[in-house]
Amino acid sequence: MTKVTMTVNGRSVAGDVEDRTLLVDFLRSNLGLTGTHVGCDTSQCGACVVHVDGRAVKSCTMLAVQASGADVTTIEGIGTPEALHPVQEAFRENHALQCGFCTPGMIMATVDLIKRKGTDLDEATVRHELDGNICRCTGYHNIVKAVLSAAEKMAGAKAAAE
Amino acid sequence: MGMEGIGAPVKRKEDRRFITGRGRYTDDIALKDMTYAWFVRSPHAHARIRSIDTSAARAAPGVVGVLTGADLAGDKIGGLICGWMIHSKDGSPMKAGAHPAIAAEVVKHVGDQVAVVIAETRNQARDAAELVVVDYEPLPAIVDPAKSRAAAAPQVHPEAPGNLIYNWGLGDEAATDAALAGAARIVTLDMRNNRLVPNAIEPRAAIGAYDPAEEHYTLYNTSQNPHVARLVLSAFVGVAPEHKLRVVAPDVGGGFGSKIFIYPEETVCLWASRRIGGRPVKWTADRSESFLVDAHGRDHVTHAEMAFDADNRILGLKVHTIANIGAYMSTFSSSVPTYLYATLLSGQYDIPAIYAEVDAVYTHTAPVDAYRGAGRPEATYVVERLMETAARELGVDPAELRRRNFVRSFPHQTPVIMAYDAGDYEAHLDAALKIADYAGFAARKAEAKARGKLRGIGFSCYIEACGIAPSQAVGSLGAGVGLWESAEVRVNPVGTVEVLTGCHSHGQGHETTYAQLVNERLGIPIDQISIVHGDTDKVQFGMGTYGSRSGAVGMSAVLKAIEKVEAKAKKIAAHLMEASEADIVIEGGELKVAGTDKSLPFFQVALAAYTAHNLPAGMEPGLKEGAFYDPTNFTFPAGTYICEVEIDPDTGKTEICSFVAVDDFGKIINPMIVEGQVHGGVTQGLGQALLENCVYDEESGQLITGSMMDYAMPRASDVPSYNVTTTETVCPGNPLGMKGCGEAGAIGSPPALINAITDAIGNNDLSMPATPEKVWRAIRAVA
Ligand code: FES
Ligand code: FES
């Protein structure tokens, strides 16, 4: 067992884990943050995406010990039911989810995508950038719409703030 | 239409918990003292189990128990069942082999479970499973359905000689043969409907919890139909008596059919919890396990002949299909290639004679059962590939050939059981032709050619059947269950409402659409309405959600219950306002006396029902009503899909340039949700046609496409944005006029895409999935 400490959604946490424990299992089992999902075992589906030190990471592909000392944000940390993140709001507005299982990963990947690529996005870029996230329900149509609309709203909000 | 009533694109109530990571799926549930199960699975496709040594595993750290098939048999836990009896042409019942929840003597496919290890942690269970020593005697295996009937083929079950489960027929063979004999032209096609892995993104999971004090069992399960699970697990498998078994299907991350069935793993979790003294046992599939043991879809090998007269009218259709059932008969496997398939072979067309014969065969592969569309995609593929092929061979426009043969008057009795109740096939064809700018296609093709690209267009005019029913009819065809639905509407004393339904939402949005129906009728805001589903302790009985039945059947049951609530509320209001019951109308959340300014808010009537201080003489207190609804017929959604593609002749890669879907789903509750269902269904269909293929090795029987690295799931960059719209003919078969929309996309889209690709490359000989390599070879074959 190895002791890990990290900041998760702004709270410092610690735990004893086996060396082989994946970050996603630490988040789900040790911390009870079950919003981060596991949809595959080959790093393909993206249901597990979280942010580690500000970058999108597939938490099924990182050991908990590798994240020791890091700043981790999960779906539970980017917005609350009362105060949604603009990307969360856009997913709801555009019916970009059905069963909701891929949704946390999609949202975390989208937040990262807008951060990296900016708010001036086109459909082809969004589709290409979301290749690491699989959704079996929505056919992506409304996810793409949601991402574009979130980017637009965030650009508007930024402009208004300046 | 009110803001929240029928027809309004209301945003989903359920979304808030999902977008904030607060959904509650089976694997999110942690019970006190929970243990974890890991299954030991066969590495062989077919082998005799000589012995199993569990001693090292038992001694491993954290292990609570190791159980085998012998333990299961010792406890008299029965095998899993197939719930639809099919009779062969010769009248004999289907020949089903045994399906033990844990194999004790012979394993029949790669992944078949031979033991289960229960431990304190999942990793400990997994580690200890490695220590279970199984001595196998490997046996030859057969995986190809087309070869499984050969005399020399290895046998899967002794009960089914020659691996034949049934040889079933539907329609008039003599009349069809006569039609073929008298035809001006016969179009022939051999097709393979490729085998698919459903891959709902939430893997299956189960938690079994036994309470020794009450002798009561609880199962948390990724199920589309928890009541059916409870019935089968109690009445047939014998794990627990029905009144001592609660099944809860919480949030479920997609199903597409694969979570209908009663599988070995949940059976074992329940039983194992009792065996280890009542600690809960949780199992969550790895995706690799999902590939091995979830029921797969499709896998048909078909030969079809369609006869035309000199005026290009269809005279007859003859179809022979070999359907791969896999190694065991899954819960509804027998119905898929029979009553859900051959009954739709008339398509949208007036065909005087049809005959279909189906051989269902065992192979040493995972069970095959219903997957989004279930039989109807296979039928549509046969009919629509034939129509496109015929248009090419007859030298006529594919849209016009279809138009010439459309059914035009309703009701229409097909030669294969179905009686189409309503439709307007030309309306969606015309709308689709316009949206797709069919007239401009030739110019687009020429422009693509100038760029060195091959452009093609393909059609699919599909029909499907939803809401399988009525119960008496499906019973006479062999179904082991009735296919009605139940609902209960509970009005609380303060006027808020709970709707209990036997349907189950796993992405369909019932929490919103069912509330819209209540809002439409009672005028109560949808945030004061809760939809309760997925728990056998709360909802008395129901058949679950599949086959696009939750609207046409499930909501009709809700409506029936609402009508009873309305009737009682009107009686109370009439009494309170001293008016005649016949004069009371319900409008905007109030009960009004028509033609006066007298009214009572709904909540006051509800309160009066519960205080019971002043009710009409003899009336029972309370405002709660239940209903069971059994439809009188299937519903028949239909539509036209047009797909346009461009192919790079140097690489064989297909780009889907546009996809137009025009569907007639009858009345629609929430257009936003309906469009979402079409988007998802079309993508699954395009996935089948372009990317997905489940492959077993012919020699070893190993699953070659056993992960998302090997099995190509459609991703955002593989598909375009869609052009989706609807036409409407009201379904006369249910009070809401609805037809169902959950499967249409997956049913209609594969032939549209293959028709488009074969049009582009000028070679009709192309099988699904149309990978770049296959397309490239097909281009070269005709160059
Ligand atoms: S669970 Fe991490 S990519 Fe699938
Ligand atoms: S919403 Fe179900 S997998 Fe994406």
Side-chain angles (χ1 to χ4, degrees), chain A residues 128-152:
Chain A
H128 177 74
E129 288 288 328
L130 287 181
D131 248 13
N133 292 71
I134 298 176
C135 174
R136 195 54 149 169
C137 297
T138 64
Y140 304 102
H141 181 110
N142 285 342
I143 292 179
V144 173
K145 246 170 83 182
V147 175
L148 292 171
S149 128
E152 204 175 297

Side-chain angles (χ1 to χ4, degrees), chain B residues 119 205 468 517 551 728 758:
Chain B
I468 314 177
L517 172 59
E728 179 187 300
T758 50

Side-chain angles (χ1 to χ4, degrees), chain A residues 42-105:
Chain A
T42 50
S43 254
Q44 292 293 304
C45 76
C48 60
V49 171
V50 300
H51 297 167
V52 177
D53 290 333
R55 294 177 50 181
V57 162
K58 285 181 170 170
S59 63
C60 73
T61 312
M62 185 178 206
L63 296 168
V65 291
Q66 287 176 294
S68 198
D71 189 357
V72 177
T73 307
T74 71
I75 186 71
E76 290 93 342
I78 62 156
T80 64
E82 298 75 37
L84 297 174
H85 186 281
V87 173
Q88 290 173 312
E89 188 64 57
F91 268 61
R92 190 177 120 80
E93 280 293 315
N94 291 283
H95 185 34
L97 60 147
Q98 292 180 22
C99 78
F101 199 79
C102 72
T103 310

